[in-house]
Amino acid sequence: VIDAPAVCAEVLLDLPARRVDRRLAYRIPASLEPEVRVGSVVSVPLGSRTARGFVIAVGAPPPSVRPLREILAVAGPPLFSASMLGLARDVAEHTLSTLLEAVHCLAPPAAFRPRRPRPAPAVAALAANGAAPVRPGARQARILDVLRAQGAVPVDELLRNGGRPALRRLVARGVVVLRPAHIPGPPASVSPPAASPPPGSVPSPASAPPACAPPPAAAEPETCVWGGAGGRWPWIAEAVRAAVAGGGRALVIVPEIARVGAFARALAPEFARAVVTYHSGMTGAERQAAWARCAAQQAAVVIGTRSALFAPLRDVRLIAVDDEHDPAHQGDAAPRYHARDVAGRRARLDGARLVLASATPSVETYARVAANELACVRLAPETPRRVRLVDMRGERARGRYGLLAEPLVAAIRRHLRARGRVVLFVNRTGYARVLLCDECGAAVRCAACGVTMPYDAERRQVCCRLCGAAAPAPGTCPHCGGVRLRGLGPGTARVEEVVRRVFPALRVARLDRETAPAFSAVARDFEAGRLRLIVGTQILLRARDLRPSLVGVVDADLALHRPDFRGAERTLQQLRAVAALAAGVPEGEAIVQTRVPDHPAVRAVATGEDERAYRSELALRRALRYPPYAALARVVAAAAARDAAAGGAARVVAVARACGVEALGPAPGRESGRRGVFRFQCLLRAGDEAALRAAARAAVADAARAAAQLTVEINPQEFD
Ligand SMILES: [Zn+2]
Ligand SMILES: [Zn+2]
């Protein structure tokens, strides 16, 4: 090291346009050498101005004919470590983001605000070979006098003597040169870390017996924990305890901000101040404070949403991702990574144990369990004592077209009479308008892709979101010939109206996006028994303490008919979560209205045959070539002109096919044309992800000068 001093730094410029990486090499002046390392924030000359950047490598200068320019200043200690930079490189590589976009994950947003590093005060001096002007102005003359008398003078001081235009003119003529004055930084701030102190209080093993699961001590490197929250959370807590007791640290990642607090409360009594929470709902200052505690290694456990995966902790021994199936684990801003994937990469990097936990694992995770690639701990499912399916086809056959079937109405009456409380669940996620047969429950599907084709009422046609195939909307059900094709499922308001008609004396509350502000008041009234019937959407799942005695699912099939190959998977996940609201309640019951009671995903909710549903889903995915049997990427081309967007997507299809990768589409995206932006999407599919990424990269390179802007999402979670 002493023989070959590092003299050069590779700097990733932090420019506002994050879609392109600009990396430049700079010389490290001797005075800054102790301070500059990977992760340092530096200011550097760029053309005629000063730019900010991150040091991403330090080493010997690259072979270059031109002399390198010098780093001007360093702002404080490094923002990230070399190992976290490695994680960011990995994220960029796998999500096709730029390295700059990925590096922005390595610290809270406030750390990146254009708070310039202390600019190095420049000094001015006479140029060695500059010829003084023949007739300098009075101000120029004064500046020259000062420089002749004092040699190098700080620019600030010089400006008091002459003024900026005068100095600028002298510099332009080459009479005066400006150069940075080096300011030594605080070397203590970047001293290599000492051995980490034992974080937090180490709980005695006797203080908390493992709730219901085998102790995580003899740990598999990767484990799927499959079961209801009642068993899952204590299991994770026990794994956290084991990691911390061994002198390590733990990261717990949840999909929603609302879950962070609940999990932290579950762990807080033991770990007290050693628990740090981190999510985007916190203020900038709170996030920076949390990050600083991590960087100082004062946290034993970090609980947060996916951004917490980049917490600057050392000795991470456990990374747990709860509700690993939840699509909210993947964000829609670059880099578009899934928490499960990054957790896996960080676990390998840190040598930590990875735990993927869920009541209903993703099909991808189940496939790894089935193939014995992933250890699996099965815990009890969380389900009410009784789950019943009501076949709505029977109701229709009897000429009943109401939203609530007779068995559900009877059950509501029975529970209310027994002082029970009722929740009616109305699905609003699949808000694409699908054509659904009221008689047999079938939806109009694309013959090639197997997914539902949303209905465009204006054009009176159905169109596949994946491949773009379009057809006139059928007048009768292609499946059974039925004539009652509906365009939309019932909304909460409609269900509320029906309930009021059937139970006129009852107080009814509605919980959906519109009434969300009243959420906690409604939940409190319900828990206290002042209110005994709620009609609500997915928003209900935020409250785990509602504990209704009866859960009624008004239409279980809507999730099944999303224009997305994950429809069946989402159906099982959603129905389990909704039914779980009544779990643990004495006489708890769930009633699920459906037209497809034999569908494996719907059936499993009543019978508990989840494995069967997963196996049937895997067979379908294999036949139709969807993940985990293929890698997918969605590429969206957006432009202000419809033709430019459509043309951009068509080019993507052409480029991908030229790369030997299958391309479906282009198809118009949802709400294409809204607010003056047209969107067309296509779907790339390949046997392995490397081929897929190569094709997507080629498409992005091809579109660099095109009118449409491309967005790439590898392994997209939502297609709506
Ligand atoms: Zn039909
Ligand atoms: Zn299709």
Side-chain angles (χ1 to χ4, degrees):
V1 181
I2 295 160
D3 296 345
V7 290
C8 168
E10 187 183 9
V11 174
L12 175 68
L13 298 175
D14 190 18
L15 302 174
R18 290 192 202 161
R19 287 183 155 238
V20 184
D21 279 335
R22 279 192 72 188
R23 308 160 188 221
L24 289 174
Y26 287 91
R27 211 158 61 76
I28 305 173
S31 60
L32 294 183
E33 230 183 270
E35 271 190 88
V36 174
R37 56 178 65 201
V38 168
S40 291
V41 182
V42 292
S43 58
V44 291
L46 179 69
S48 58
R49 58 204 174 97
T50 306
R52 205 174 84 123
F54 312 109
V55 175
I56 55 172
V58 175
S64 164
V65 274
R66 279 210 265 164
L68 295 177
R69 300 177 82 177
E70 273 189 358
I71 288 176
L72 300 175
V74 182
L79 200 57
F80 49 84
S81 68
S83 121
M84 293 309 284
L85 176 64
L87 187 63
R89 282 187 199 276
D90 219 41
V91 167
E93 161 77 19
H94 283 89
T95 63
L96 262 69
S97 76
T98 59
L99 181 58
L100 185 60
E101 285 166 334
V103 159
H104 271 258
C105 295
L106 298 181
F112 293 100
R113 298 245 165 80
R115 180 184 55 89
R116 288 277 170 92
R118 293 163 286 137
V123 294
L126 289 174
N129 50 4
V134 187
R135 274 183 297 142
R139 291 180 177 198
Q140 290 182 34
R142 206 147 59 219
I143 289 173
L144 290 172
D145 284 348
V146 172
L147 289 179
R148 277 189 204 110
Q150 298 180 32
V153 175
V155 167
D156 289 350
E157 202 181 310
L158 210 56
L159 290 180
R160 282 196 290 275
N161 284 294
R164 204 174 288 276
L167 179 62
R168 205 178 287 146
R169 237 166 279 137
L170 288 170
V171 172
R173 287 183 179 194
V175 185
V176 171
V177 290
L178 300 181
R179 56 168 195 256
H182 302 306
I183 35 163
S189 63
V190 290
S191 61
S196 35
S201 61
V202 178
S204 69
S207 68
C212 51
E220 295 281 342
E222 297 190 358
T223 310
C224 169
V225 177
W226 182 354
R232 215 167 68 234
W233 285 23
W235 198 97
I236 295 174
E238 185 53 31
V240 167
R241 255 174 234 127
V244 175
R249 298 188 170 84
L251 295 176
V252 180
I253 307 300
V254 294
E256 285 177 5
I257 293 171
R259 300 276 165 83
V260 173
F263 224 112
R265 278 192 297 281
L267 280 175
E270 289 171 54
F271 297 99
R273 289 159 42 82
V275 171
V276 164
T277 57
Y278 187 83
H279 55 78
S280 58
M282 292 159 60
T283 66
E286 286 168 344
R287 289 167 87 179
Q288 282 215 293
W291 212 257
R293 284 187 63 199
C294 293
Q297 309 304 317
Q298 287 166 350
V301 187
V302 173
I303 302 170
T305 49
R306 65 183 181 283
S307 51
L309 279 167
F310 298 93
L313 282 181
R314 289 191 301 271
D315 302 318
V316 173
R317 300 270 172 87
L318 171 79
I319 305 179
V321 180
D322 194 38
D323 285 323
E324 63 90 26
H325 66 275
D326 196 318
H329 275 304
Q330 182 152 313
D332 55 7
R336 296 174 179 81
Y337 63 90
H338 196 292
R340 186 174 55 218
D341 300 335
V342 175
R345 291 201 192 98
R346 180 155 192 194
R348 282 191 290 279
L349 202 70
D350 291 4
R353 180 177 191 207
L354 177 69
V355 169
L356 303 176
S358 174
T360 39
S362 61
V363 168
E364 285 93 334
T365 295
Y366 175 80
R368 293 185 60 209
V369 169
N372 284 321
E373 289 171 25
L374 190 61
C376 183
V377 176
R378 286 298 293 267
L379 305 171
E382 207 148 51
T383 182
R385 287 176 30 167
R386 209 149 86 101
V387 181
R388 264 197 296 160
L389 303 181
V390 173
D391 187 346
M392 297 301 274
R393 289 172 308 182
E395 288 283 306
R396 302 302 184 243
R398 271 176 242 122
R400 299 203 198 106
Y401 286 93
L403 287 178
L404 306 180
E406 193 42 46
L408 180 54
V409 172
I412 296 173
R413 194 163 278 136
R414 184 157 43 77
H415 277 264
L416 290 178
R417 207 173 287 144
R419 305 303 301 160
R421 294 170 304 163
V422 179
V423 153
L424 292 181
F425 175 73
V426 181
N427 186 326
R428 296 310 288 166
T429 36
Y431 37 76
R433 304 116 301 194
V434 296
L435 274 188
L436 204 59
C437 173
D438 216 9
E439 322 263 331
C440 76
V444 181
R445 286 179 182 268
C446 172
C449 307
V451 302
T452 316
M453 297 166 92
Y455 172 58
D456 183 341
E458 230 167 82
R459 299 184 186 185
R460 295 186 162 273
Q461 62 175 18
V462 286
C463 175
C464 175
R465 274 290 152 66
L466 301 190
C467 73
T476 54
C477 171
H479 197 67
C480 75
V483 291
R484 296 180 66 97
L485 288 177
R486 288 186 299 135
L488 198 75
T492 39
R494 180 90 182 79
V495 175
E496 184 191 11
E497 197 185 299
V498 170
V499 173
R500 284 186 196 285
R501 217 169 41 230
V502 182
F503 302 98
L506 188 70
R507 186 183 156 205
V508 178
R510 177 160 62 95
L511 275 181
D512 51 25
R513 211 184 314 170
E514 273 171 45
T515 63
F519 183 86
S520 23
V522 170
R524 254 198 324 273
D525 277 5
F526 191 79
E527 283 160 34
R530 290 189 291 271
L531 167 69
R532 298 202 293 131
L533 196 147
I534 301 181
V535 177
T537 59
Q538 277 79 346
I539 217 167
L540 285 170
L541 297 175
R542 279 195 209 158
R544 295 190 162 226
D545 301 327
L546 287 179
R547 296 171 57 80
S549 59
L550 173 66
V551 169
V553 176
V554 175
D555 189 341
D557 309 345
L558 287 176
L560 213 50
H561 297 312
R562 298 153 57 109
D564 173 348
F565 68 92
R566 288 193 177 89
E569 176 182 351
R570 298 280 187 248
T571 298
L572 176 60
Q573 287 159 351
Q574 186 177 69
L575 292 179
R576 274 242 168 281
V578 174
L581 290 172
V585 178
E587 307 306 319
E589 185 179 5
I591 292 184
V592 177
Q593 300 193 142
T594 174
R595 285 174 219 81
V596 285
D598 293 326
H599 190 288
V602 176
R603 201 181 132 102
V605 182
T607 62
E609 296 168 296
D610 293 25
E611 294 242 21
R612 195 181 135 149
Y614 278 102
R615 281 197 301 272
S616 122
E617 183 60 20
L618 277 179
L620 265 179
R621 301 260 182 112
R622 192 194 286 275
L624 291 167
R625 286 182 309 120
Y626 285 119
Y629 300 107
L632 293 183
R634 177 165 61 167
V635 184
V636 179
R642 193 176 188 281
D643 289 349
R651 278 201 75 117
V652 173
V653 170
V655 171
R657 286 181 184 157
C659 294
V661 162
E662 183 189 2
L664 306 177
R670 190 161 71 89
E671 299 195 346
S672 179
R674 273 282 170 89
R675 296 200 187 118
V677 182
F678 288 87
R679 286 187 195 83
F680 278 76
Q681 62 180 27
C682 40
L683 199 64
L684 312 188
R685 173 156 59 185
D688 69 299
E689 230 185 85
L692 187 78
R693 285 199 300 267
R697 266 199 200 98
V700 170
D702 175 75
R705 276 173 302 276
Q709 194 166 39
L710 295 193
T711 309
V712 180
E713 194 178 4
I714 304 286
N715 194 14
Q717 297 296 305
E718 311 255 30
F719 287 85
D720 210 14

